[in-house]
Amino acid sequence: MAAATFEHFDSRIGTDMQRDCTIGLSQFIEPSNLEDLDAPFSEDEIWQAIKNMPSRKAPGPDGFTAEFLRSCRQIIKHDLRCVFNQIYALRGRGFSCLNQALITLLPKRVEATGLGDYRPISLIHIVAKVLAKLLSLRLAPRLNNLVSNVQNAFMVVSNVQNAFIPRRSLHDNFILVRQSARLLHQLGAPRVLLKLDLARAFDSVSWPFLFEVLRCHGFGNRFLGWIALLLSSANTKVLLNGNPGPAIWHRHGLRQGDPVSPQLFVLAVDTLGRLFHRAVKLRVMQQLHPRRAIPTISLYADDVILLCHPSPDDIAAVKEILQLFGRASGLHVNFQKSAAALIRCDTVDAAHVVAHLGCPIVEFPLTYLGIPLTLRRPTAAQLQPVVDKVAGKLPSRKAWLMNKAGRLAFAKAVLSAIPIHQLLVLAPPKKTIKLLEKIERGFLWAGRTEAHGGNCHVNWRRVCRPIQFGGLGVHDLERTGLALRMRWQWLSLVDDGRAWSGLDLHFAPEERALFFASTIMAIGNGQRALFWEDRWINGRAIREIAPLLFDLIPKRRRKSRTVADGLHANQWAADIHDMIGIPEIGEYLRLWHMLAETALTDAPDHIRWKWTANGEYSAKSAYLATFQGSARCQAWKLTWKCSAPPRVRFFHWLANLDRCWTADRLARRNLPHPQRCPLCDQAPETIHHLLLECPFSCEVWHEILSWLRLSCPLPNNDATLHDWWCSA
C-alpha cells in the first residue's frame, strides 16, 4: 500500500513534464510595472504576513503553527529576519529543509476504495508558508489589473487586505454566464454552451509555462527567483497510518495549501481566456451576438464555461485552442467529464458536430459553481437539492439534547446560511421558500423536520423579525434574497468594470421598487443621472413630483434622457407626448419652477444608499430596510442584551409574548390543565401570575432585590415585567 501510494503521487507531482510547444504570450499580454514587488522584506511586512495566516490550522512537519509565531514573536523575530534576508539575497541553499510538507488523505465518501476517493491535504512547513503568504500579500493588490474581467477566482477576504482578486466574486461569473445564455436564447440562433473540466488543474501546471506568463506580465527577476525557490525546493511525504513515506520532489504543478498558489494558478489559466478573446478578434471564431459584446469564455479557477457556434469550424477551433493550451501549459481538458448544453439547436445536427469534442450532451439546467443554471426562472424541482441539503444538516440524534436556544443558534448559523449562495443570484419559487422555512420551523420548535399544531409557540413571521422588532433574528429567506440581490442593481450603476456590464440584467418589480426607495442620486454634471427615472430633485423623482406628467413620457425616453440633456435648452419638455389637461399643466409649471433652481457642476453624478452612513450599499441595511414601518419592541434590550444564559433569554422572550404553555392557554385549546396555580393554589395560572403576582414569585423577587441591595417595590400590579423594570 505504501509503495502504491508513493507511485501514485510521484507520478502526479514528482515526474518531469515534457512540453512540445510554446505560446507567443507577448502578442496578447502587456507587461506592467511590477518593480515594487522586488523590494526587501521589512520586519513589519513579515509580521503582517504572520498575522494574516489562519489560526488553528494543522501544523506541518516542523510542528509549529501561526499561533506559535504570534505568541513568541519577540523571541524568534531575529531568527526570522535572518532567514528572510537570506531569501531576499536568493541564497536558497538548504531551503529545502524549510520547504517540506506532509500529505494527509481524507476520504471523500464513506466507502473509499481507491486513492482517487481520498482528498490530499498538504501540511506545509511554517517558514515556507510565511514566505508564500508574504508574496501573496504583495501580489494581491496588483492581481486585479493583471487578470481579465472574465476571471473572478478566489475572492477570499482577510482581516487586513481584500483578496487574491479584490472586488470580484464567484457570483459575478454566474451572472455573466446566465445572462449571456439567456440573451443567446432570446436571439433564437443556435449556440453551444460547453462546461469544461481541467484535469488535476493545480497538479498539472507546467513551471516553464508559468514563468513565461509571469515574465510577460513584467515580474522582476528577484520575484521570479523567490517563486522558483518555493517551487523547486518543495518536497512532500505522504502520511499513511501516521507514518511518512519517502520524499517526493516536486517537478511540476502548484502545491495546494500554499497561500500564493491560487494566485499563480489564476495568472496561468487566464491565458486561456486571452487565447479565445484573440481568436474572436482575429475572426478565427464567430462573434456570439450581432449587437452584444458577449464574452466567449468565463473562468473561475478551474471551472471553465465556453460559448460558441455549433458549426464545424468553431468546434474545430475550440478543440485546437484547448489542445494547444494543454500542450503548452499542462492544463488538459478532460472531455469525458465535460458537458455540452445546446441553445436553440437542432439536436441531431448539433450532436453530430459536438461529437468531435468527445463530451456528452446534457439538458438545462446544469450545475455551475454550485447553482442551477437555467434559461428561465428555476422551478421548485430544480432547487430541491438545496432543500435536501438543508434537511441533511439536521442533527437528528442530538436534536433532543439541544434546548430551544441551542436549536435557535443552529438554525441561524447553519440552516439559514445554506441557501444564501443561491439567494444571491436566484429568486426561488414560493414553494421552495416554504419548504426551507418548514424545515427551520420544525427543527426550532420540535427538533425534527416538521412541527404541527401546538409545537409552534409563535407565528413564524414574528420569529423571522430582527430582535429589535420583537423577533428571534432568524433570517426571513424571501426578504434576505431580496436584500442580497439589490447588490446587482447597485453594482450596475457604480461599477462599469464588471464582466457582465452592458448585458442588461433583468430585475423583478419588487427588487426595482425597493432599490428605488433606497437610493438617491446626488447630481453633479448630470451625465449619468436619468432625468425621468432617478431621484435627483431634492431626493425625489419626477414620478413622485408630477405623476400625471410622468405618464405622458414614452418609455424609451425615460430610459435614455439624462439630466444634462434634459436641462440643456429645456429639451425635457419635448419628451412630453399626448394631450395635456389642466392637472398636467399644473404639474408642468411646478416642475418648471423647481428645475429653474437646478445648477450642474463639474463633479460626476453619484448614487447614495439611504440606509447607511457612508452612502454605500450593504446587504444588512437592505434587509433591515424591508422592515421599515414595523413597530420596535421596547423590551428587546432587556431580553437579549443581558448576561443571562441563552435559554433564559429565550424563555424571557416567550414569556413577554405570553407564549408559554400555562393553564390559561391550555384551557383555550381544551387541553388538560390545572384549575389553579400549582404553587399557591390561590389564582388561575397565567404567565403574568407566575412571574409577578404569585406569592412564591414575590418571595423570589424579594430575595433577589435584597441580594442586589436595590430599594424598589416588588412587581405586582405592573402590566409586564418590562414595565416594572422601567418604573423600578
Side-chain angles (χ1 to χ4, degrees):
M1 184 63 183
T5 304
F6 174 80
E7 183 179 351
H8 172 79
F9 285 98
D10 186 62
S11 63
R12 287 182 59 173
I13 61 178
T15 305
D16 287 327
M17 177 183 294
Q18 301 297 326
R19 298 174 71 208
D20 57 0
C21 68
T22 59
I23 300 175
L25 300 174
S26 59
Q27 300 181 32
F28 45 83
I29 296 181
E30 296 183 2
S32 304
N33 183 11
L34 303 175
E35 295 179 356
D36 56 324
L37 297 181
D38 293 345
F41 303 121
S42 65
E43 186 174 331
D44 290 340
E45 192 177 12
I46 297 172
W47 176 240
Q48 198 67 40
I50 294 174
K51 288 200 302 184
N52 276 270
M53 293 176 64
S55 302
R56 298 180 181 179
K57 291 289 185 179
D62 56 328
F64 296 120
T65 62
E67 288 92 336
F68 167 77
L69 298 182
R70 285 194 279 267
S71 60
C72 302
R73 178 193 180 189
Q74 298 301 324
I75 301 174
I76 64 174
K77 65 179 182 179
H78 177 72
D79 295 333
L80 275 178
R81 184 62 189 269
C82 292
V83 170
F84 280 93
N85 286 340
Q86 295 293 318
I87 293 173
Y88 174 76
L90 295 178
R91 299 191 186 102
R93 185 176 181 180
F95 186 71
S96 58
C97 298
L98 303 177
N99 199 12
Q100 298 175 355
L102 298 174
I103 286 183
T104 182
L105 303 176
L106 300 181
K108 297 179 182 178
R109 52 186 63 89
V110 177
E111 298 179 357
T113 55
L115 286 172
D117 297 332
Y118 288 85
R119 179 177 289 107
I121 305 297
S122 293
L123 308 176
I124 305 172
H125 195 288
I126 192 65
V127 175
K129 192 178 289 188
V130 172
L131 173 59
K133 187 64 177 181
L134 196 153
L135 298 181
S136 171
L137 291 176
R138 283 194 176 186
L139 182 56
R142 313 300 296 270
L143 201 59
N144 190 45
N145 297 326
L146 299 177
V147 178
S148 57
N149 284 341
V150 294
Q151 172 76 285
N152 289 313
F154 300 111
M155 186 170 178
V156 182
V157 179
S158 67
N159 292 330
V160 180
Q161 56 92 31
N162 282 333
F164 296 129
I165 302 183
R167 299 171 56 245
R168 303 194 194 181
S169 73
L170 169 156
H171 301 93
D172 285 300
N173 286 75
F174 184 86
I175 290 289
L176 170 65
V177 172
R178 184 184 65 179
Q179 190 61 18
S180 299
R182 289 182 176 181
L183 287 174
L184 295 176
H185 184 263
Q186 295 171 5
L187 183 65
R191 300 290 185 269
V192 177
L193 185 147
L194 299 173
K195 181 184 177 184
L196 304 178
D197 177 79
L198 296 179
R200 297 176 180 175
F202 267 68
D203 296 335
S204 304
V205 177
S206 169
W207 289 352
F209 173 79
L210 174 63
F211 282 98
E212 290 172 6
V213 172
L214 296 178
R215 197 169 285 109
C216 285
H217 276 296
F219 286 88
N221 292 331
R222 193 173 295 274
F223 191 90
L224 295 178
W226 296 331
I227 297 296
L229 182 63
L230 266 177
L231 297 179
S232 61
S233 62
N235 59 96
T236 299
K237 297 178 181 180
V238 182
L239 281 175
L240 199 62
N241 297 327
N243 299 317
I248 302 173
W249 292 88
H250 292 239
R251 292 293 178 263
H252 59 81
L254 299 170
R255 188 165 52 186
Q256 299 192 39
D258 196 321
V260 78
S261 292
Q263 298 169 320
L264 298 177
F265 180 82
V266 165
L267 289 171
V269 80
D270 183 60
T271 309
L272 180 61
R274 296 177 184 270
L275 280 173
F276 277 100
H277 177 73
R278 187 167 180 82
V280 174
K281 186 177 180 180
L282 296 178
R283 300 186 184 276
V284 177
M285 295 176 61
Q286 302 177 61
Q287 189 173 343
L288 290 171
H289 200 286
R291 298 177 299 276
R292 303 273 187 175
I294 297 178
T296 305
I297 189 170
S298 172
L299 298 167
Y300 184 84
D302 58 345
D303 288 299
V304 183
I305 290 289
L306 268 175
L307 292 164
C308 65
H309 290 254
S311 63
D313 292 341
D314 271 32
I315 295 295
V318 167
K319 189 170 185 179
E320 289 293 331
I321 293 173
L322 292 176
Q323 289 178 346
L324 172 65
F325 179 74
R327 290 162 58 195
S329 67
L331 297 170
H332 296 277
V333 175
N334 186 346
F335 287 104
Q336 298 298 322
K337 292 186 178 180
S338 303
L342 306 180
I343 303 175
R344 298 286 190 180
C345 291
D346 181 85
T347 306
V348 178
D349 296 339
H352 178 71
V353 175
V354 175
H356 292 288
L357 290 176
C359 58
I361 296 178
V362 297
E363 298 289 335
F364 285 102
L366 54 88
T367 302
Y368 176 52
L369 301 175
I371 308 173
L373 177 62
T374 63
L375 299 177
R376 297 179 178 85
R377 184 176 179 180
T379 63
Q382 293 167 352
L383 291 175
Q384 186 61 34
V386 182
V387 180
D388 296 338
K389 185 176 181 180
V390 173
K393 289 293 183 179
L394 296 180
S396 55
R397 295 186 178 180
K398 298 181 180 179
W400 286 103
L401 301 177
M402 303 169 64
N403 54 37
K404 287 185 174 64
R407 296 203 291 264
L408 171 64
F410 187 87
K412 293 167 70 173
V414 179
L415 302 183
S416 295
I418 293 174
I420 295 297
H421 181 51
Q422 286 76 19
L423 291 175
L424 259 166
V425 291
L426 300 177
K430 297 284 187 181
K431 181 179 179 181
T432 301
I433 297 292
K434 289 181 179 179
L435 289 174
L436 292 171
E437 291 181 342
K438 181 180 180 181
I439 295 173
E440 293 185 47
R441 183 173 63 247
F443 177 74
L444 175 62
W445 296 120
R448 52 180 184 267
T449 55
E450 295 184 17
H452 302 285
N455 294 125
C456 303
H457 293 222
V458 182
N459 180 275
W460 189 249
R461 297 274 70 83
R462 178 181 283 273
V463 169
C464 290
R465 292 181 188 175
I467 56 175
Q468 58 266 40
F469 294 110
L472 286 177
V474 177
H475 280 167
D476 185 310
L477 295 180
E478 188 171 4
R479 294 173 186 254
T480 299
L482 182 63
L484 290 172
R485 292 189 296 275
M486 289 292 100
R487 75 189 303 255
W488 305 115
Q489 294 187 67
W490 176 264
L491 291 175
S492 64
L493 292 176
V494 302
D495 190 354
D496 296 331
R498 300 280 168 170
W500 43 263
S501 296
L503 295 184
D504 293 343
L505 302 185
H506 296 285
F507 305 103
E510 59 270 18
E511 296 172 0
R512 291 186 177 277
L514 178 59
F515 187 80
F516 178 80
S518 303
T519 54
I520 296 173
M521 183 65 74
I523 203 67
N525 55 20
Q527 298 292 334
R528 188 175 192 130
L530 295 178
F531 184 90
W532 298 106
E533 293 283 347
D534 290 334
R535 308 178 75 185
W536 62 276
I537 307 176
N538 297 325
R540 302 171 65 194
I542 292 180
R543 71 171 75 174
E544 300 171 293
I545 299 171
L548 299 178
L549 191 66
F550 179 80
D551 292 337
L552 302 179
I553 310 302
K555 290 185 178 181
R556 60 183 179 86
R557 284 297 185 186
R558 299 178 191 173
K559 302 294 183 182
S560 60
R561 178 72 75 187
T562 63
V563 173
D565 293 338
L567 294 181
H568 180 68
N570 294 319
Q571 292 184 18
W572 64 271
D575 295 338
I576 302 174
H577 288 67
D578 212 342
M579 298 295 294
I580 300 179
I582 294 178
E584 289 84 357
I585 292 176
E587 292 184 349
Y588 176 85
L589 295 175
R590 184 166 62 253
L591 180 61
W592 183 283
H593 288 297
M594 295 178 70
L595 296 179
E597 302 173 358
T598 303
L600 302 181
T601 63
D602 296 332
D605 303 334
H606 66 277
I607 191 169
R608 289 188 56 83
W609 186 258
K610 285 173 54 178
W611 313 115
T612 55
N614 62 358
E616 297 290 329
Y617 160 83
S618 70
K620 179 181 179 180
S621 64
Y623 179 73
L624 293 178
T626 62
F627 291 93
Q628 287 293 319
S630 302
R632 296 180 70 88
C633 176
Q634 299 298 322
W636 75 275
K637 287 188 177 180
L638 174 63
T639 304
W640 299 109
K641 296 299 182 180
C642 62
S643 57
R647 58 189 178 87
V648 175
R649 285 181 277 176
F650 193 95
F651 170 77
H652 187 191
W653 179 76
L654 287 175
N656 196 46
L657 295 175
D658 191 13
R659 289 298 185 271
C660 298
W661 284 116
T662 50
D664 59 328
R665 296 192 72 230
L666 293 173
R668 290 199 295 267
R669 289 162 176 78
N670 295 322
L671 296 174
H673 62 280
Q675 296 298 323
R676 293 186 177 277
C677 173
L679 297 177
C680 64
D681 196 27
Q682 297 179 6
E685 182 191 54
T686 65
I687 192 64
H688 185 270
H689 171 79
L690 285 177
L691 293 182
L692 302 176
E693 297 178 348
C694 181
F696 285 85
S697 301
C698 293
E699 182 66 24
V700 171
W701 283 116
H702 174 74
E703 293 296 332
I704 293 174
L705 295 175
S706 300
W707 178 66
L708 294 175
R709 298 180 181 180
L710 294 177
S711 57
C712 57
L714 293 176
N716 189 6
N717 297 322
D718 301 275
T720 64
L721 182 63
H722 178 258
D723 294 337
W724 167 72
W725 184 266
C726 293
S727 61

